[in-house]
Amino acid sequence: MDALFSSLRLPLAQLGARRKRLWLPALFSLLLLLPFSQPLVMGAIADAFWQVSSFVAATLALYKMAEQRWLQAFTQRMGQSPWQQLSFAVVMGALPGCGGAIVVVTQYIQGRISFGAVVAVLTATMGDAAFLLLATKPMDGVTVMLISMGVGVISGALVDWLHPQGIRERQSTLPPAGCRTSESPVWWLQTSDLIWMLVLMLGLAGGLLQALQYDLDSLLNLPAPSAELFGFVAGLAMLWHWALVQAEDDDHAYQHLVADDSQRPQLSQMALVLRDTSFISAWVMAAFVLFEVAIALTGVDLARWFNQAPHWVPLLGVALGLLPGCGPQIIVTSLYIQGSIPFSAQLGNAISNDGDALFPALAIAPRAALLATFYSAIPALAVAYGYYWLWE
């Protein structure tokens, strides 16, 4: 018997190391078995699909088309003057997702731009949470981006003045370039992507109708709650799609647990949109489910609690922004969209969070990465509490 357990221990450990994403859908599946949490989880997942997933997919598709046309050309035109570098950094940081910020961090690691540009891009970036905010509250998303860009330029200029020679690191080299490959056959991935494109198109149409206050069950003469059931099944399937389709490496385990893959094979634009949508949707569903279950278990009215201690809420948003990766920031944005936290907390989180760009910086230039994170937190606190005291 001991020999049997010993023989199984290594494969199970390898499976656990490579499939950390399975814990999230597995936890949801367990909650679905409990009578008190089943309706809460079903409703939360359905709401996340109808209200977020399809709109995020549409926003991502538009962004991918624009990125393919001008982002690479813009990157090649980066100037050498400090103000050109700072302007380049905040524009790249303001781009939704983490790709632009990772480009700037890589340029710093290679010695091509200043340390102030790193602080500027980390201050301006909102990571993948930007897609979520732009898709659901576009005016708020644009406002956050513009404020973050302005704060980023000022912060970067001050940091360059404080550190004209940059931050010295031990000699290191960039990791060899490479792409992770999927373990699934190509034909299965293509079929899966086509099915998901159709599902998300239906989700977009249904989400727009619901936003216009139409009841889908009545409009389509379907028995209630058909629309909620469709959203639940589609949302749960998307969660498992995120957990199973994308293979994980054993290295940088925490990065793969909380962040999307930063190096991916050459996939079609549709495939990239679907994978990014699955990643964002997974964390949005986690936020929705966590919120509903926590309220049901504790009976605490979160909005009322925030109203009773409003001066702590911006600090909480900034503190969560210091966590690496985009997952925690998507949760914060989801709470803002639900009306559970004020705009000051969302604004502080957007300025303080560094997205996935912090991971390569921590791996190659840890001292600069930690110092840049500290510097980005200072204006985040100032702006968040400034907005809180002036308008909230």
Side-chain angles (χ1 to χ4, degrees), residues 39-371:
L40 299 175
V41 175
M42 290 184 64
I45 292 178
D47 289 344
F49 175 78
W50 286 118
Q51 299 174 17
V52 176
S53 298
S54 54
F55 293 99
V56 168
T59 305
L60 274 165
L62 294 174
Y63 174 74
K64 293 294 183 185
M65 288 188 292
E67 178 187 45
Q68 192 175 24
R69 288 180 176 273
W70 58 266
L71 180 58
Q72 184 177 2
F74 180 79
T75 304
Q76 294 173 349
R77 295 175 184 174
M78 179 183 65
Q80 297 300 318
S81 74
W83 287 108
Q84 285 180 322
Q85 292 183 6
L86 292 175
S87 300
F88 167 79
V90 296
V91 170
M92 296 297 286
L95 295 175
C98 298
I102 290 175
V103 167
V104 174
V105 171
T106 303
Q107 296 292 314
Y108 171 75
I109 292 170
Q110 295 174 349
R112 297 177 181 174
I113 59 175
S114 68
F115 177 60
V118 175
V119 174
V121 74
L122 294 183
T123 301
T125 190
M126 193 178 169
D128 288 340
F131 288 117
L132 175 58
L133 189 59
L134 288 170
T136 53
K137 292 180 176 290
M139 292 305 299
D140 289 353
V142 172
T143 300
V144 169
M145 290 170 63
L146 292 176
I147 293 175
S148 298
M149 291 174 68
V151 174
V153 169
I154 297 172
S155 301
L158 290 174
V159 168
D160 275 340
W161 177 73
L162 289 172
H163 302 279
Q165 303 301 321
I167 304 299
R168 294 184 179 180
E169 298 280 351
R170 293 181 179 179
Q171 292 295 323
S172 60
T173 58
L174 288 170
C179 293
R180 284 189 286 272
T181 58
S182 174
E183 297 174 351
S184 303
V186 174
W187 67 268
W188 163 246
L189 289 178
Q190 293 175 343
T191 304
S192 173
D193 291 344
L194 180 61
I195 292 172
W196 273 115
M197 183 181 69
L198 297 175
V199 170
L200 288 171
M201 289 177 65
L202 291 174
L204 180 60
L208 289 172
L209 290 172
Q210 289 187 355
L212 295 173
Q213 305 304 313
Y214 284 98
D215 181 81
L216 292 182
D217 292 334
S218 300
L219 185 65
L220 301 176
N221 294 320
L222 297 173
S226 298
E228 180 179 338
L229 185 61
F230 178 86
F232 163 71
V233 172
L236 190 63
M238 180 170 287
L239 194 65
W240 283 101
H241 178 272
W242 169 74
L244 292 173
V245 169
Q246 300 172 36
E248 297 185 55
D249 293 335
D250 291 332
D251 297 334
H252 311 299
Y254 178 67
Q255 175 179 353
H256 296 310
L257 178 60
V258 302
D260 198 10
D261 296 330
S262 58
Q263 294 178 345
R264 290 177 289 191
Q266 296 299 319
L267 300 174
S268 66
Q269 293 297 317
M270 182 181 70
L272 292 175
V273 167
L274 291 171
R275 278 151 181 73
D276 289 341
T277 301
S278 298
F279 163 67
I280 295 173
S281 299
W283 285 99
V284 170
M285 291 173 197
F288 280 24
V289 170
L290 177 65
F291 177 81
E292 295 294 341
V293 172
I295 295 300
L297 288 175
T298 63
V300 174
D301 187 340
L302 192 59
R304 182 179 178 184
W305 182 84
F306 283 144
N307 288 332
Q308 291 176 344
H311 50 281
W312 292 110
V313 183
L315 177 61
L316 179 63
V318 173
L320 290 174
L322 299 178
L323 297 176
C326 291
Q329 323 317 328
I330 292 173
I331 291 178
V332 173
T333 303
S334 301
L335 292 175
Y336 171 69
I337 291 169
Q338 290 180 304
S340 301
I341 61 175
F343 185 71
S344 58
Q346 173 65 76
L347 186 59
N349 177 265
I351 294 175
S352 67
N353 98 67
D354 303 330
D356 292 345
L358 191 59
F359 288 114
L362 285 172
I364 308 300
R367 187 176 171 215
L370 293 175
L371 191 58

Side-chain angles (χ1 to χ4, degrees), residues 1-23:
M1 186 63 68
D2 291 339
L4 176 61
F5 281 122
S6 298
S7 64
L8 290 174
R9 188 177 295 117
L10 181 59
L12 289 174
Q14 291 175 341
L15 177 64
R18 292 181 61 81
R19 295 297 183 188
K20 296 177 183 66
R21 293 176 180 177
L22 288 174
W23 290 105

